[in-house]
Each structure stands twice: as C-alpha cells, then as structure tokens.
Amino acid sequence: MSLSDGGRGHAPRRQSFFKRLLLSPLGLLYRLWNASIRIKFPDQADLRKLTSEDLPLVIMLWHNRLFIAGEWHLRFRKKQRCYGLISGSRDGAWLETFYGWARIRAIRGSRNRRGAQAMRDLVKVVREGHDVGITPDGSRGPRYEAKPGALALAKITKSPVLLLSFSYSRAIRLKSWDRFVIPLPFSSVRATTRFLEYEELFGGRSLDEATRAAEKALNELNRPPDL
C-alpha cells in the first residue's frame, strides 16, 4: 500500500459489531485451520535471529501470502506485537476483521485515504518497539510490484526490513487480482526470510532505488513465483 497522499478526509470504514459477531464462527475456523498447518523454517540462523531479536522490524511480504502471516508471527515473533497497514476502504474493513483473527493490530490508511496519518501512526508504533507488516503490492496491485510505503517507514525509523515469503505443499489459489493463496489444513508451509539492514538498503540509494532493490530481493525469495 502506498502512503503518499496528504492524509486528510475519509475516516476508515469499519465493520459493525453485528457483522463481527456473525463472522466470529469463521474466525474460530480460521484459527483452527492455521493451527493445523506445519510451518517449516529452513534457515536456522534467521530463525535464531527472529526469536531473539528485540528490535522492531518492518516486515514486507506480497499480498497473496497474507493468509498464514499472522500465525507465522505468533510462532516466531512471540515477544513482539505486530501491526498491519490496511486500506481505509470498505474492503479494508473486511481485512481488518481478518487481521484481528490473526491477532494483528490494524492501522488504517492508503494512498487515497488517510495516508499521511497512517504513516505517522506506523512510525509511532515502530518507535514504541513493535513490528509492522506491509504488503507493498496491496491493496490492488499490480501483483509483485512494490510501492514505496514500507521502505519510507524503514528509512524514517532506521529499522531493518525483513522480507518474508511462503511456499506451500498443498494450497488453493483464488482468482483474485493477486492470486491469493490459502494453504490447505494439515499441509506444510515453508517460510523463507531475508534481513535487509538499513545501511544495505539506503547506502547511496534513493527511496525509489531502495524500493526496487527490496522488490527484486522479495521476488527472488518467491521462487517459483506461483507456489
């Protein structure tokens, strides 16, 4: 999601209490579904760093990998709270409910709704020591093309960026703009990560150049691209 607007107008859309109540059985199903999935983490060095690192991270992953992301954070970043950037639109209201099931706190805003305020909120939670997850191709794509919001946040806060991707043993791929992936219950998911330190990203690079470098690195984790 991009964060480049002036930040005025449009309070974010939210689900009513009645709708959240009606959806609560789906939330229970979602948590049970995720609990049945085995998450494999082949890079033991990154795993040790993740579980011991107290510094806040800006986590970047593609939009179609979101389904298991909250469960991944619960298992491997237990010490940290995680906040996610979600559009202020009606679609974002549904996604905020989904994030809540995954125990990810929502910050609402996008290029067209409350962008500048959302950036201020993100900076605040990172400086308080919390992780932030951003899908740089969300919320409407193009798929696998990064907007600069995540890297702008990392530059302002001087935080390391964690690139995160998942591949699946068995999964459903939806016919959405991003080909959203849902791993099947009792399947296995392989998590791959790469840390990008502040100096590595921004040494001699503009924000746009850093964004393209992070985009390329995230796509390299995402091999083969449609699994």
Side-chain angles (χ1 to χ4, degrees):
M1 296 181 184
S2 177
L3 292 170
S4 57
D5 76 335
R8 291 181 293 181
H10 296 306
R13 306 287 184 89
R14 298 193 182 278
Q15 295 284 15
S16 68
F17 171 79
F18 182 66
K19 283 185 178 179
R20 293 198 304 272
L21 187 64
L22 286 178
L23 291 169
S24 58
L26 287 178
L28 177 60
L29 175 62
Y30 171 76
R31 288 191 291 271
L32 292 172
W33 188 307
N34 272 345
S36 76
I37 294 169
R38 300 182 303 278
I39 302 179
K40 300 178 180 179
F41 210 117
D43 192 324
Q44 293 301 301
D46 274 6
L47 177 57
R48 287 191 294 272
K49 187 172 182 178
L50 274 172
T51 54
S52 63
E53 181 65 79
D54 290 331
L55 289 175
L57 300 174
V58 176
I59 302 168
M60 285 180 58
L61 71 161
W62 295 130
H63 195 272
N64 61 13
R65 262 63 176 179
L66 270 176
F67 188 90
I68 197 69
E71 183 69 21
W72 172 89
H73 196 273
L74 281 173
R75 296 188 194 184
F76 300 108
R77 293 285 287 171
K78 293 179 182 178
K79 298 178 182 178
Q80 305 295 122
R81 289 184 182 178
C82 187
Y83 288 78
L85 175 64
I86 304 175
S87 167
S89 67
R90 183 178 290 105
D91 289 346
W94 289 98
L95 192 56
E96 182 177 17
T97 301
F98 168 80
Y99 269 40
W101 297 339
R103 297 183 178 89
I104 295 176
R105 294 159 174 81
I107 290 177
R108 303 294 300 278
S110 65
R111 179 170 52 194
N112 298 318
R113 292 177 183 271
R114 299 183 69 253
Q117 181 60 50
M119 177 59 83
R120 288 191 288 271
D121 293 343
L122 291 168
V123 169
K124 181 175 183 289
V125 298
V126 170
R127 288 178 172 165
E128 289 173 347
H130 307 304
D131 293 345
V132 166
I134 297 179
T135 55
D137 59 340
S139 58
R140 299 183 183 276
R143 181 173 52 146
Y144 303 152
E145 292 185 20
K147 303 176 185 71
L151 275 297
L153 176 62
K155 188 171 186 178
I156 292 168
T157 60
K158 293 183 166 52
S159 300
V161 171
L162 179 75
L163 305 180
L164 173 64
S165 189
F166 302 109
S167 56
Y168 310 87
S169 64
R170 292 179 297 131
I172 301 166
R173 185 173 292 277
L174 303 183
K175 293 182 179 180
S176 55
W177 68 265
D178 60 345
R179 305 292 307 281
F180 194 85
V181 186
I182 301 175
L184 293 176
F186 303 101
S187 63
S188 63
V189 172
R190 183 176 185 267
T192 53
T193 56
R194 180 179 169 185
F195 282 90
L196 298 176
E197 300 295 340
Y198 178 85
E199 294 78 9
E200 179 183 358
L201 269 174
F202 296 108
R205 286 195 179 111
S206 67
L207 176 60
D208 185 62
E209 289 168 339
T211 300
R212 299 285 73 78
E215 175 189 283
K216 179 181 178 183
L218 186 53
N219 277 325
E220 287 171 353
L221 287 184
N222 212 32
R223 302 294 184 191
D226 291 323
L227 291 181

